[in-house]
C-alpha cells in the first residue's frame, strides 16, 4: 500500500472516531495494522475479553514473529489459564493448556511441564512462584504493565503506537477544499451552492439562463488555516508528542480553548464538523521508565534495525520466558511495608538528607548539618566512607563565597543524592558550592567536580539525562535554577523567573519531553524545558511556602508535600493535564513543628514524617493508612527515605542517628548479610569506620573535570555492556558488600610484615567446575558471559560457538552461572552449530572476534572470514557482511546506537560501520598493525583503540578524528615483543581504562591520557600474561598467565590479592602446556570468573562460600618487591605522547 493510501486510512480512522463508530474503528485498526490503540487493548484485557484481545493483536503480530510477540501471547494465555484454575474450571484449563499453551512447549518443554503440573494442585498459589497471585483484577493490571513494555519494545509495533498528529476533521477539510475547487471551476457558480452528494463532482447549474456573478473573493481564500484547527482531543487517537516551546501538557500556562471550526468564505461548500473539542494533552500518558525491574532486557527500537534487514528471510523466534511462570510482584498490602526497626546507625551529627544507592540497595548516603557526608552499608552496619566539608580549591571560588566562608565557616548539607546509575553522588551545601564525587564501590569515593553554583545557599540538587547526557540540576537562594554538564562542570542553562529563593527541583521526562519542575519559598511552582524560552507554568502550591515535588517510581503520578509558615502541612496529588490538585491526603497535625518531608514507594504508598511519627497513605485513598513510631526517639518532623525496592526505610532520630526499618524480606536479607559478615576472617582486623575517611584530592574542577560519568559499561574486551547489578536476592546482595579497607596507621608496619599473598593450590580451596562438552575440542579463543549472567558463550579456534546454560531450580533459584551447578551444553532442536564463515582461510590462524547484543538475542562474530550475525535462540545465520580481505579482528557496539559498530581490521584500520544502511561511514587510520582492542566511553564520547603495535589511540566519536596516541613502554632493561596483542577495557567510571599486554597490565586515565598504575610480571608471577579483565564492579582484575596460573589483583592499586595455581582446575598428569587463553568476568557476581583453555575446556571459578572473596590486598607499605611490584605513574613517566 502506498504512503498516501496509508494516510487515507488514518483520515478514515479519525473520521470514524469523530462519528462514534467505535466498533468499526477498531476493526479497521486491526485489519489495516497501521495503528495500535493501546487504550482499547487495555480495556479488553481488563474485561477479560481474551478472544477479542488475540483477534485485535493478530492484525499486528503473530505468536512466532519474534521473542516479544511470543512473550505477549504467552502472558495472555497464561493469565487465561490461571483464571480458569482459580475458578476451579479444570475442563476449561485443560482446553487452554492443549489448545493455547501447547505451542510454547517446543521452545521450552520444561516450562510447559511446570504449567501442566499446576493442574495437580488444589490451589495453584501453592506454587512458590505464584504465591503472591492476588485476585483476577489485580493480576490483570500487573500483566498489563508487562504487556505494555513488551509492545513498546516490539519492533513490529514501531510507529504504530502513536496516531499521527492531525488537525480535527482533516478528512472533512480535504473534502471541503475539493468542493471549493470544484465550485471555483463551475461555469455558473452560485453564491450559495446546494451540495447533495459526494458521489460525483460538483457543478452549479445555470440560474434561469443567467450567469451568476463571480464571487467577490477567492473561495479558496476562505479555507481553514492550519493553526485554526484544534488537534483531536481525548480518546484513542493521541497526537504525537513533540518537545515544543509551548507544549508541557495542561501545565503550560493558561492554555486557551481550541478555536471553533471556521467557516469558509461565501460561495464555498462546507461539511460541518463536530463541535466541543478541546486541545490535546501532550503528556497525557507517560511511558514507564526503562529502569524498572523486569524479567527481560528489552532491545531498543533502533537496535532492532539490525534484524529488520533480514527479517523476511530469517526465522527470528526467541523464547524469553523463565522456568516457572512469574508474575511481577505488586505490594498492595500494608503488611509488606517496612515497619520493624532492624538497624540503628550513629551518624554523630544531625542528618539533613539521605538517599539509598539505586542498585546496591544496602548503601545509604547521608549528609549532615555540619557538612559531613557518609556512605553506610546498612547490611553490615558499617560506615564505608566519610568526608568532611572542605573547599577543594579556594583560589577559583568567587569572592562572595570566600567572604561568606570567612564570615561564617559553618556549612550544612542541604541535599545529597546518587546519580541514576550510582556512579556519582552530588552534595548541595548551604553556602554557594556543590560537590560531585565519583564512586566505584567500597571506600572508593573520589572528588570529581566542585562547582561554585549559586550566590547564597544551594537548596536542592538532582541528576537528569537531557539529550542522553548526564547533567546536574541545582537551585538556590539567588532565585535561579542551573543545569551543569556532569562531565566538565560547564553550565548549560540558567533559568530565571522566580521571585523568591528556589527551594526544590524535580526533573522528569514524559515520552520525548524533558522538563524540570521548581518550587520557591513563596509557594510558586514553575516548569522549564531545556531551552531559553522561560517558564511554562506559574501555579501556587498549597501552603505557599516550602514544597517538594516527586513522581511515583513508574513516572505516572505527581505528588507534592509542603508546609506553610503557620505550620499547616499539605500532601497532594496533582492532575497534570489541568494543573490542578487531584486529591489532598488527610492526617497531618494542625501545626507541624517543621517542614514535612515525604517519599513514595512501589507506586502504591506515600510516607511523610510528622508528629514524631512516620505516617503512611495508600496513593488511592486520602485517609491515613497507618502510623509508625519506630520504637520512639524520632524528631517532630523526621526525614525519611525508602530504598528502591521498598523493603527498607531510613528515618532520622533525635540523637543524631538513623533507624533502618525493614519488612519481612528486608529482615531476612539483613540477617543473612550480618551472619555472613561475622564469619569472615578479615573482620578481625577491620579498622573502625573513621579511618576510612581520606583527605580529598584537590581538584580544580570548576575549570576542568578529571573524571567522567555515564552508564556503567563492562568489558570492552568482551564486547558487551553489563546490566546494572540490582539487589534482587541474597547472592546479588552479597556481591555488593566487598570492601577494601585501609589498616590503622599504627599497625601498618606489623601488618606489612604479616601480610602474605593468598595462595590457592588445591581444588578444595575454592569452587571450580569444568563445563561439559561433547563437541570436538579446540582451544577457546574468545569467552563471554551473557548479560543476564545465566549462560557462557565460547568461540573456539575452529570457528564453532558453544553455549552453556544454567537451569533455574531449587539449588539455583536465580538460574545464574555458578560453579556449584553443572550447566547444559545447549543446542537448538535443529541440532545446528553456530559456525563462522572462514572464507577458505585456516581458522586456527585467524584472529577471532565476538560481540553480544545487550539483550542477548543475537551475537556478532568472525573467525577470519565474513562477520556473521547469529540468532542466539535458533543459532541461524541472520546475515553476513564485511567480506575479507581485510578480515575483522575486533568488534564493539557504539554505546548510543546499536546500529553503529566499530570493527577493527587486520590491516590496522578501524571501520565505523552502519548496519542499518550496510555502509562504512568512516575509516580510521592510526595504527601500524592489526587492531586487537576497542572500547567506547559513553561519558567522554571517545573510542579507545589498541593494536598489535602496542599503541593506544583516542578517537572522538563525534567526528571520528584522532585526538592522541601513545606507545606502551617496557620496563627498563626489557623490550616489548615485536608482535603481541594489546587489549583495552573501561572501568565502570568510564574514565579509567585497563590496558592488557603480555608484558604488563596498566590503568590509564582517559581524560588526561596518562598512565596511573602499572604491574609487570616478576618472581612467582613471571610468566607472560595471556589475558585480563575487570570484575563486573571494577574492584578486581582477573589476570591469566601462560604458565596456567591466575592472579586476582586489586582493581584500584593493581596489587596482587590472590594467586590460583593451575593445579586447582587441571587434573594431575595433564600437560603443563595447557593454560587459559582468555578470562571472562560474570556480569553481576564480582567474585566469579571463567577461563577458556588451550585444550578447549572452559572452567568457572569462584571463592568458597565461607570466604566470599578472593584474598585480601597488601598494606601500601608492603609493595616493595616480588609479586607486589607496582609502578605508580605520573605526568613525568617515560611514555611519550604523540598527536
Amino acid at each position: 500500500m502506498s504512503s498516501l493510501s496509508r494516510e487515507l486510512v488514518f483520515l478514515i480512522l479519525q473520521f470514524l472516531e469523530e462519528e462514534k463508530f467505535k466498533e468499526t474503528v477498531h476493526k479497521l485498526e486491526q485489519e489495516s495494522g497501521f495503528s495500535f490503540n493501546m487504550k482499547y487493548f487495555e480495556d479488553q484485557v481488563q474485561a477479560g475479553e481474551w478472544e477479542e484481545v488475540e483477534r485485535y493483536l493478530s492484525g499486528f503480530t503473530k505468536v512466532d514473529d519474534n521473542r516479544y510477540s511470543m512473550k505477549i501471547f504467552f502472558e495472555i494465555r497464561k493469565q487465561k489459564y490461571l483464571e480458569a484454575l482459580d475458578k476451579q474450571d479444570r475442563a476449561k484449563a485443560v482446553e487452554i493448556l492443549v489448545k493455547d499453551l501447547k505451542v510454547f512447549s517446543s521452545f521450552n518443554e520444561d516450562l510447559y511441564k511446570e504449567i501442566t503440573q499446576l493442574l495437580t494442585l488444589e490451589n495453584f498459589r501453592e506454587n512458590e512462584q505464584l504465591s503472591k497471585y492476588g485476585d483476577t483484577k489485580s493480576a490483570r493490571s500487573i500483566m498489563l504493565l508487562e504487556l505494555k513494555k513488551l509492545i513498546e519494545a516490539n519492533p513490529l509495533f514501531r510507529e504504530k503506537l502513536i496516531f499521527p498528529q492531525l488537525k480535527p476533521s482533516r478528512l472533512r477539510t480535504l473534502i471541503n477544499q475539493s468542493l471549493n475547487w470544484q465550485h471555483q471551476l463551475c461555469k455558473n457558480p452560485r453564491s450559495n451552492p446546494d451540495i447533495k452528494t459526494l458521489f460525483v463532482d460538483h457543478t452549479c447549474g445555470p440560474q434561469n439562463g443567467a450567469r451568476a456573478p463571480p464571487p467577490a473573493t477567492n473561495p479558496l481564500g476562505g479555507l481553514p488555516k492550519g493553526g485554526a484547527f484544534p488537534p483531536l482531543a481525548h480518546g484513542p487517537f493521541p497526537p504525537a508528542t513533540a518537545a515544543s516551546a509551548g507544549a508541557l501538557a495542561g501545565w503550560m500556562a493558561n492554555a486557551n480553548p481550541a478555536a471553533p471550526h471556521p467557516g469558509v468564505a461565501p460561495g464555498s461548500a462546507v461539511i460541518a464538523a463536530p463541535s466541543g473539542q478541546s486541545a490535546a494533552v501532550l503528556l497525557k500518558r507517560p511511558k514507564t521508565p526503562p529502569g524498572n525491574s523486569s524479567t527481560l532486557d528489552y532491545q531498543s527500537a533502533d537496535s532492532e534495525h539490525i534484524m529488520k534487514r533480514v527479517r523476511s528471510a530469517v526465522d527470528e523466534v526467541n523464547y524469553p520466558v523463565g522456568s516457572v511462570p512469574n508474575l511481577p510482584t505488586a505490594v498492595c498490602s500494608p503488611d509488606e511495608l517496612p515497619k520493624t526497626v532492624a538497624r540503628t546507625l550513629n551518624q554523630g551529627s544531625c542528618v539533613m538528607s539521605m538517599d539509598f544507592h539505586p542498585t546496591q540497595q544496602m548503601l545509604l548516603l547521608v549528609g549532615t548539618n555540619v557538612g559531613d557526608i557518609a556512605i553506610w552499608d546498612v547490611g553490615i552496619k558499617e560506615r564505608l566512607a566519610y568526608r568532611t566539608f572542605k573547599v577543594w580549591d579556594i583560589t577559583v571560588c568567587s569572592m562572595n563565597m570566600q567572604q561568606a566562608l570567612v564570615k561564617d565557616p559553618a556549612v550544612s548539607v542541604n541535599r545529597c543524592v546518587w546519580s541514576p546509575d550510582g556512579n556519582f553522588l552530588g552534595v548541595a551545601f548551604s553556602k554557594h558550592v556543590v560537590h560531585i564525587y565519583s564512586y566505584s564501590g567500597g571506600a572508593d569515593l573520589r572528588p570529581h567536580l566542585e562547582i561554585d553554583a549559586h550566590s547564597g545557599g544551594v537548596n536542592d540538587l538532582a541528576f537528569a539525562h537531557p539529550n542522553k547526557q548526564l547533567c546536574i540540576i541545582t537551585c538556590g537562594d539567588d532565585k535561579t535554577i542551573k543545569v551543569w554538564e556532569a562531565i566538565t562542570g560547564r553550565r548549560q542553562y540558567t533559568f530565571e523567573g522566580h521571585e523568591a529563593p528556589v527551594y526544590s527541583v524535580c526533573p522528569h521526562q514524559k515520552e520525548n519531553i524533558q522538563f524540570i519542575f521548581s518550587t520557591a519559598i513563596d509557594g510558586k511552582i514553575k516548569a522549564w524545558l531545556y531551552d531559553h524560552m522561560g517558564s511554562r507554568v506559574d501555579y501556587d502550591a498549597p501552603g505557599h511556602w516550602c514544597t517538594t515535588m516527586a513522581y511515583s517510581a513508574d513516572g505516572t503520578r505527581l505528588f507534592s508535600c509542603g508546609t506553610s509558615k503557620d505550620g499547616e502541612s499539605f500532601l497532594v496529588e496533582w492532575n497534570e493535564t489541568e494543573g490542578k490538585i487531584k486529591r489532598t491526603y488527610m492526617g497531618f497535625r494542625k501545626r507541624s513543628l517543621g517542614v514535612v518531608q515525604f517519599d513514595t514507594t512501589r507506586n502504591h504508598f506515600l510516607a511523610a514524617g510528622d508528629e514524631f511519627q512516620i505516617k503512611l497513605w495508600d496513593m488511592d485513598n486520602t485517609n491515613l493508612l497507618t502510623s509508625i513510631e519506630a520504637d520512639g526517639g524520632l524528631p517532630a518532623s523526621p526525614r525519611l527515605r525508602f530504598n528502591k525496592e521498598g523493603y527498607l526505610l531510613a528515618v532520622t532520630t533525635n540523637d543524631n542517628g538513623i533507624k533502618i526499618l525493614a519488612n519481612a524480606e528486608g529482615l531476612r536479607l539483613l540477617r543473612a548479610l550480618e551472619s555472613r559478615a561475622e564469619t569472615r576472617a578479615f573482620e578481625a582486623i577491620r579498622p573502625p569506620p573513621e579511618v576510612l575517611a581520606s583527605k580529598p584530592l584537590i581538584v580544580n574542577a570548576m575549570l576542568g573535570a578529571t573524571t567522567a560519568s555515564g552508564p556503567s559499561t563492562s568489558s570492552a574486551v568482551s564486547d558487551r555492556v553489563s546490566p546494572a547489578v540490582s539487589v534482587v536476592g541474597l547472592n546479588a546482595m552479597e556481591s555488593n558488600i566487598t570492601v577494601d579497607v585501609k589498616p590503622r596507621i599504627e599497625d601498618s608496619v606489623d601488618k606489612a610484615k604479616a601480610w602474605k599473598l593468598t595462595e590457592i593450590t588445591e581444588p578444595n580451596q575454592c569452587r571450580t567446575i569444568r563445563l561439559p562438552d561433547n563437541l570436538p575440542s579446540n582451544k577457546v579463543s574468545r569467552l563471554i558471559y551473557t548479560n543476564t549472567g545465566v549462560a557462557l558463550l565460547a568461540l573456539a579456534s575452529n570457528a564453532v560457538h558453544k553455549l552453556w546454560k544454567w537451569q533455574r531450580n531449587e539449588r539455583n533459584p536465580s538460574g545464574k552461572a555458578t560453579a556449584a551447578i553443572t550447566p547444559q551444553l545447549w543446542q537448538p532442536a535443529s541440532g545446528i552449530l553456530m559456525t563462522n564463515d572462514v572464507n577458505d582461510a585456516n581458522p586456527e590462524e585467524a584472529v577471532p572476534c565476538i560481540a553480544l547484543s545487550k539483550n542477548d538475542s543475537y551475537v556478532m562474530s568472525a573467525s577470519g572470514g565474513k562477520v556473521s550475525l547469529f540468532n542466539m535462540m535458533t543459532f541461524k545465520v541472520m546475515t553476513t557482511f564485511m567480506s575479507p580481505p581485510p578480515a575483522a579482528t575486533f568488534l564493539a557496539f557504539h554505546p548510543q546506537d546499536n546500529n553503529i559498530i566499530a570493527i577493527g581490521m587486520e590491516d590496522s584500520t578501524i571501520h565505523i560501520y552502519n548496519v542499518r544502511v550496510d555502509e562504512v561511514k568512516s575509516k580510521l587510520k592510526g595504527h601500524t598493525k592489526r587492531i586487537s582492542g576497542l572500547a567506547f566511553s559513553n561519558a567522554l564520547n571517545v573510542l579507545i583503540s589498541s593494536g598489535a603495535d602496542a599503541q593506544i589511540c583516542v578517537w572522538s566519536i563525534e567526528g571520528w578524528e584522532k585526538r592522541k596516541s601513545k606507545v606502551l613502554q617496557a620496563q627498563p632493561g626489557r623490550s616489548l615483543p615485536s608482535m603481541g596483542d594489546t587489549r583495552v577495557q573501561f572501568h565502570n567510571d568510564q574514565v579509567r581504562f585497563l590496558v592488557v599486554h603480555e608484558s604488563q597490565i596498566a590503568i590509564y586515565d582517559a581524560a588526561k591520557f596518562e598512565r596511573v598504575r602499572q604491574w609487570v610480571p616478576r618472581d612467582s608471577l613471571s610468566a607472560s600474561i595471556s589475558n585480563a579483565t575487570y570484575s563486573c564492579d571494577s574492584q578486581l582484575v582477573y589476570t591469566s598467565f601462560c604458565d596456567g596460573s591466575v592472579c586476582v589483583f586489586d582493581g584500584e592499586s593493581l596489587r596482587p590479592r590472590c594467586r590460583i595455581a593451575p593445579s586447582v582446575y587441571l587434573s594431575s598428569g595433564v600437560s603443563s602446556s595447557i593454560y587459559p587463553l582468555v578470562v571472562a568476568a560474570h556480569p553481576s557476581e564480582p567474585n566469579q570468573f571463567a577461563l577458556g583453555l588451550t585444550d578447549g575446556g572452559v572452567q568457572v571459578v569462584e571463592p568458597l562460600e565461607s570466604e566470599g572473596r578472593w584474598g585480601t590486598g597488601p598494606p601500601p607499605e608492603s609493595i616493595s618487591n616480588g609479586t607486589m611490584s607496582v609502578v605508580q605513574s605520573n605526568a613525568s613517566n617515560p611514555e611519550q605522547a604523540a598527536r
Side-chain angles (χ1 to χ4, degrees):
M1 184 177 288
S2 69
S3 61
L4 288 179
S5 298
R6 188 172 184 271
E7 291 179 2
L8 179 58
V9 173
F10 284 116
L11 295 177
I12 295 171
L13 284 170
Q14 184 196 41
F15 173 79
L16 293 172
E17 173 66 20
E18 292 172 341
E19 295 297 320
K20 310 301 182 186
F21 292 105
K22 297 293 185 182
E23 293 185 8
T24 309
V25 167
H26 304 314
K27 182 67 175 176
L28 181 55
E29 289 168 347
Q30 183 259 331
E31 288 191 339
S32 67
F34 291 160
S35 176
F36 186 83
N37 190 324
M38 186 68 80
K39 178 65 168 58
Y40 175 71
F41 179 74
E42 291 174 9
D43 291 343
Q44 297 304 305
V45 170
Q46 289 286 16
E49 299 291 342
W50 304 118
E51 290 187 7
E52 173 60 16
V53 168
E54 292 210 19
R55 186 199 67 80
Y56 189 69
L57 275 173
S58 67
F60 303 89
T61 184
K62 294 181 177 57
V63 69
D64 58 353
D65 278 348
N66 59 37
R67 62 193 298 242
Y68 305 104
S69 300
M70 182 172 290
K71 176 70 170 170
I72 290 168
F73 281 96
F74 175 78
E75 289 295 327
I76 292 170
R77 296 176 183 181
K78 179 184 72 177
Q79 179 62 29
K80 184 166 60 168
Y81 176 66
L82 294 177
E83 289 184 15
L85 290 175
D86 207 23
K87 295 175 182 177
Q88 299 299 315
D89 190 347
R90 302 282 170 171
K92 182 67 174 178
V94 171
E95 180 185 348
I96 296 169
L97 186 68
V98 174
K99 180 181 177 182
D100 296 333
L101 291 171
K102 180 68 175 176
V103 65
F104 302 105
S105 62
S106 60
F107 299 95
N108 194 326
E109 187 174 357
D110 291 338
L111 175 60
Y112 184 72
K113 290 179 180 178
E114 293 269 3
I115 296 174
T116 304
Q117 288 173 3
L118 296 179
L119 286 168
T120 65
L121 303 177
E122 186 67 24
N123 186 338
F124 65 80
R125 294 173 181 82
E126 296 174 18
N127 184 298
E128 183 180 356
Q129 297 293 333
L130 297 171
S131 60
K132 294 186 181 296
Y133 184 96
D135 57 19
T136 297
K137 183 178 179 181
S138 62
R140 289 175 181 173
S141 298
I142 292 168
M143 180 187 65
L144 259 177
L145 296 175
E146 181 76 3
L147 292 179
K148 289 174 69 175
K149 292 180 185 177
L150 289 166
I151 289 170
E152 290 169 357
N154 195 326
L156 298 180
F157 288 82
R158 188 183 302 125
E159 299 177 357
K160 298 179 181 180
L161 299 178
I162 298 178
F163 197 82
Q165 188 171 4
L166 304 175
K167 297 174 183 177
S169 306
R170 179 60 182 161
L171 185 58
R172 297 173 183 273
T173 301
L174 291 175
I175 294 173
N176 287 344
Q177 291 173 346
S178 173
L179 293 174
N180 278 322
W181 182 251
Q182 293 172 30
H183 187 65
Q184 176 78 4
L185 297 178
C186 284
K187 295 181 179 179
N188 302 295
R190 297 182 181 178
S191 58
N192 295 298
D194 182 18
I195 298 182
K196 297 181 179 181
T197 181
L198 298 177
F199 292 164
V200 296
D201 289 348
H202 162 70
T203 57
C204 291
Q207 300 179 6
N208 298 323
R211 184 182 182 90
T217 59
N218 186 345
L220 293 179
L223 290 177
K225 296 183 179 179
F229 292 92
L232 184 63
H234 306 285
F237 297 97
T241 56
S244 63
L248 192 55
W251 287 83
M252 294 301 90
N254 304 320
N256 295 320
H261 195 298
V264 292
S268 62
V270 179
I271 296 179
S275 61
Q277 295 175 339
S278 60
V281 179
L282 274 176
L283 304 184
K284 181 169 54 180
R285 298 187 298 178
K287 292 183 180 178
T288 300
N292 290 353
S293 299
S294 173
T295 57
L296 286 177
D297 180 12
Y298 301 117
Q299 186 173 351
S300 68
D302 284 342
S303 64
E304 189 66 15
H305 278 291
I306 199 168
M307 292 184 285
K308 185 176 180 181
R309 290 174 45 214
V310 293
R311 187 179 304 282
S312 59
V314 181
D315 179 13
E316 188 199 328
V317 176
N318 198 337
Y319 194 75
V321 187
S323 63
V324 177
N326 289 316
L327 292 172
T329 301
V331 177
C332 296
S333 170
D335 295 333
E336 296 190 51
L337 285 165
K339 299 178 181 179
T340 304
V341 177
R343 297 280 191 274
T344 300
L345 311 176
N346 181 21
Q347 178 61 33
S349 304
C350 180
V351 176
M352 304 299 292
S353 180
M354 300 179 294
D355 195 28
F356 277 100
H357 195 281
T359 57
Q360 302 181 54
Q361 295 182 56
M362 288 289 175
L363 298 187
L364 178 66
L365 172 64
V366 176
T368 74
N369 66 337
V370 295
D372 299 339
I373 62 166
I375 299 175
W376 288 88
D377 187 327
V378 301
I380 57 176
K381 297 184 290 188
E382 179 171 328
R383 188 164 62 185
L384 304 180
Y386 175 76
R387 299 290 185 271
T388 58
F389 175 77
K390 179 181 179 181
V391 177
W392 298 341
D393 191 347
I394 193 66
T395 61
V396 298
C397 295
S398 65
M399 288 303 299
N400 287 340
M401 178 178 172
Q402 295 182 43
Q403 291 171 2
L405 290 174
V406 170
K407 183 178 180 180
D408 181 10
V411 173
S412 171
V413 173
N414 282 340
R415 182 69 185 271
C416 58
V417 63
W418 293 100
S419 65
D421 57 10
N423 289 336
F424 294 87
L425 63 90
V427 189
F429 294 95
S430 59
K431 286 189 174 65
H432 295 262
V433 73
V434 166
H435 281 172
I436 307 297
Y437 291 85
S438 64
Y439 183 70
S440 300
D444 188 9
L445 185 62
R446 303 185 179 199
H448 172 62
L449 288 175
E450 182 176 54
I451 305 173
D452 189 350
H454 294 271
S455 178
V458 185
N459 296 324
D460 200 6
L461 178 147
F463 289 90
H465 280 96
N467 303 317
K468 299 182 180 181
Q469 180 183 35
L470 184 65
C471 289
I472 305 153
I473 301 167
T474 62
C475 65
D477 288 343
D478 57 4
K479 308 175 185 178
T480 66
I481 302 101
K482 298 181 181 180
V483 181
W484 315 82
E485 286 185 0
I487 306 302
T488 63
R490 184 178 67 86
R491 188 174 65 203
Q492 291 185 320
Y493 301 98
T494 298
F495 300 130
E496 298 177 339
H498 277 291
E499 297 177 359
V502 185
Y503 183 74
S504 70
V505 289
C506 176
H508 194 59
Q509 176 174 348
K510 284 197 170 181
E511 299 190 6
N512 64 339
I513 300 179
Q514 298 169 316
F515 55 96
I516 306 166
F517 281 121
S518 62
T519 68
I521 63 171
D522 60 358
K524 291 294 184 182
I525 298 174
K526 294 182 181 293
W528 318 80
L529 297 174
Y530 292 89
D531 58 23
H532 302 284
M533 304 298 292
S535 169
R536 298 330 200 261
V537 160
D538 189 1
Y539 284 90
D540 292 321
H544 300 280
W545 199 41
C546 298
T547 299
T548 55
M549 305 184 78
Y551 277 88
S552 57
D554 60 6
T556 61
R557 302 174 71 172
L558 176 64
F559 302 90
S560 74
C561 182
T563 304
S564 70
K565 293 180 180 179
D566 296 328
E568 187 176 6
S569 295
F570 301 86
L571 177 60
V572 303
E573 180 178 5
W574 290 89
N575 183 328
E576 292 181 82
T577 64
E578 300 175 7
K580 296 179 180 179
I581 292 173
K582 183 176 182 180
R583 54 171 61 92
T584 301
Y585 298 90
M586 308 300 178
F588 290 104
R589 65 177 294 167
K590 292 184 178 180
R591 291 291 182 268
S592 299
L593 301 178
V595 177
V596 171
Q597 307 291 319
F598 87 116
D599 198 7
T600 70
T601 183
R602 301 197 179 188
N603 301 314
H604 199 81
F605 296 103
L606 298 164
D610 181 52
E611 209 171 359
F612 306 95
Q613 297 174 325
I614 303 164
K615 296 183 177 180
L616 295 123
W617 292 263
D618 186 309
M619 288 181 178
D620 298 319
N621 192 328
T622 59
N623 294 321
L624 184 66
L625 178 65
T626 187
S627 297
I628 304 172
E629 294 187 356
D631 299 339
L634 304 185
S637 299
R639 291 172 168 82
L640 48 83
R641 181 68 62 189
F642 287 97
N643 72 344
K644 183 177 180 180
E645 298 295 331
Y647 54 77
L648 297 181
L649 173 61
V651 60
T652 58
T653 65
N654 269 327
D655 57 357
N656 298 333
I658 304 164
K659 289 185 177 182
I660 306 297
L661 281 64
N663 63 8
E665 177 69 9
L667 288 171
R668 184 185 69 81
L669 293 172
L670 288 170
R671 283 194 293 266
L673 288 173
E674 187 174 29
S675 174
R676 175 104 179 216
E678 289 173 354
T679 62
R680 290 183 173 176
F682 71 86
E683 284 294 315
I685 60 169
R686 182 180 293 277
E690 285 71 21
V691 305
L692 296 179
S694 60
K695 183 177 179 181
L697 179 68
I698 295 179
V699 180
N700 187 352
M702 294 188 204
L703 302 181
T706 60
T707 59
S709 67
S712 297
T713 304
S714 185
S715 172
V717 176
S718 299
D719 297 326
R720 59 153 165 78
V721 178
S722 296
V725 182
S726 61
V727 182
V728 294
L730 180 59
N731 290 338
M733 184 81 68
E734 292 163 350
S735 72
N736 291 325
I737 63 174
T738 304
V739 182
D740 294 329
V741 297
K742 298 179 182 179
R744 293 179 184 272
I745 296 175
E746 57 268 25
D747 297 336
S748 61
V749 175
D750 292 336
K751 289 181 181 177
K753 295 178 181 178
W755 181 86
K756 186 178 180 181
L757 177 70
T758 301
E759 294 274 357
I760 296 179
T761 58
E762 300 295 332
N764 61 4
Q765 292 179 276
C766 67
R767 293 194 297 180
T768 181
I769 184 173
R770 186 180 177 99
L771 305 191
D773 190 358
N774 54 14
L775 297 175
S777 296
N778 292 79
K779 65 182 180 181
V780 178
S781 302
R782 295 291 180 264
L783 186 65
I784 183 173
Y785 281 92
T786 58
N787 292 294
T788 55
V790 300
L792 260 172
L793 178 65
L795 173 58
S797 59
N798 63 349
V800 174
H801 300 77
K802 300 176 184 180
L803 180 67
W804 289 270
K805 289 186 178 181
W806 275 259
Q807 299 297 314
R808 182 178 296 160
N809 51 41
E810 292 182 359
R811 293 181 59 198
N812 186 24
S814 69
K816 291 187 177 181
T818 173
I821 304 291
T822 302
Q824 173 190 5
L825 180 61
W826 193 87
Q827 284 183 275
S830 63
I832 66 173
L833 298 176
M834 277 194 292
T835 305
N836 279 333
D837 172 72
V838 294
N839 196 37
D840 299 328
N842 183 358
E844 297 284 345
E845 299 175 356
V847 178
C849 51
I850 190 169
L852 187 62
S853 67
K854 294 177 183 179
N855 66 347
D856 298 336
S857 64
Y858 58 87
V859 63
M860 196 172 292
S861 183
S863 297
K866 297 178 183 178
V867 178
S868 300
L869 181 69
F870 295 95
N871 183 300
M872 280 283 282
M873 195 63 197
T874 64
F875 283 13
K876 292 181 179 179
V877 179
M878 300 172 64
T879 187
T880 57
F881 53 93
M882 301 295 288
S883 299
T889 56
F890 207 92
L891 302 167
F893 285 103
H894 193 292
Q896 299 166 5
D897 187 350
N898 268 355
N899 294 296
I900 305 297
I901 306 170
I903 306 177
M905 309 301 289
E906 196 173 31
D907 66 352
S908 79
T909 62
I910 303 168
H911 291 190
I912 307 302
Y913 176 72
N914 189 313
V915 179
R916 184 183 302 176
V917 297
D918 192 17
E919 180 182 344
V920 175
K921 292 295 186 181
S922 297
K923 187 179 291 187
L924 314 183
K925 298 180 180 180
H927 290 274
T928 58
K929 295 180 180 178
R930 70 167 179 259
I931 304 301
S932 55
L934 295 168
F936 282 97
S937 169
N938 197 27
L940 299 178
N941 284 332
V942 298
L943 169 67
I944 301 288
S945 64
S946 59
D949 55 3
Q951 185 180 191
I952 306 168
C953 297
V954 182
W955 313 83
S956 168
I957 66 177
E958 293 179 353
W960 300 112
E961 71 275 5
K962 182 179 176 182
R963 290 185 178 177
K964 296 180 181 179
S965 64
K966 185 172 289 190
V967 177
L968 294 184
Q969 295 295 315
Q971 286 295 99
R974 301 187 183 186
S975 59
L976 291 177
S978 59
M979 194 66 178
D981 287 344
T982 307
R983 297 181 178 87
V984 287
Q985 176 191 4
F986 267 101
H987 185 281
N988 278 358
D989 66 11
Q990 291 279 280
V991 176
R992 289 170 288 173
F993 63 93
L994 178 69
V995 176
V996 182
H997 188 267
E998 64 179 84
S999 66
Q1000 60 186 274
I1001 56 174
I1003 296 174
Y1004 283 73
D1005 185 313
K1008 299 178 180 179
F1009 205 44
E1010 294 178 357
R1011 192 178 69 198
V1012 179
R1013 293 281 191 276
Q1014 184 189 46
W1015 182 91
V1016 295
R1018 185 174 176 180
D1019 295 345
S1020 63
L1021 289 171
S1022 58
S1024 296
I1025 297 168
S1026 60
N1027 199 250
T1029 185
Y1030 272 125
S1031 61
C1032 64
D1033 59 1
S1034 299
Q1035 297 299 297
L1036 303 173
V1037 175
Y1038 297 115
T1039 306
S1040 58
F1041 295 83
C1042 293
D1043 64 356
S1045 61
V1046 177
C1047 187
V1048 183
F1049 292 84
D1050 183 274
E1052 302 299 319
S1053 63
L1054 288 187
R1055 297 169 189 158
R1057 299 168 61 92
C1058 176
R1059 177 183 176 273
I1060 303 170
S1063 56
V1064 171
Y1065 60 88
L1066 293 178
S1067 303
S1068 58
V1070 174
S1071 170
S1072 60
S1073 63
I1074 297 174
Y1075 64 91
L1077 270 177
V1078 62
V1079 58
H1082 192 282
S1084 59
E1085 297 293 341
N1087 291 293
Q1088 184 188 129
F1089 62 92
L1091 302 173
L1093 308 178
T1094 53
D1095 68 348
V1098 175
Q1099 296 277 157
V1100 174
V1101 188
E1102 55 191 4
L1104 294 173
E1105 192 170 5
S1106 59
E1107 296 294 331
R1109 59 191 264 159
W1110 295 109
T1112 56
E1117 288 78 8
S1118 67
I1119 54 168
S1120 56
N1121 55 35
T1123 61
M1124 292 166 287
S1125 58
V1126 178
V1127 178
Q1128 181 168 352
S1129 303
N1130 52 38
S1132 61
N1133 71 57
E1135 296 185 12
Q1136 300 299 317
R1139 289 282 180 182

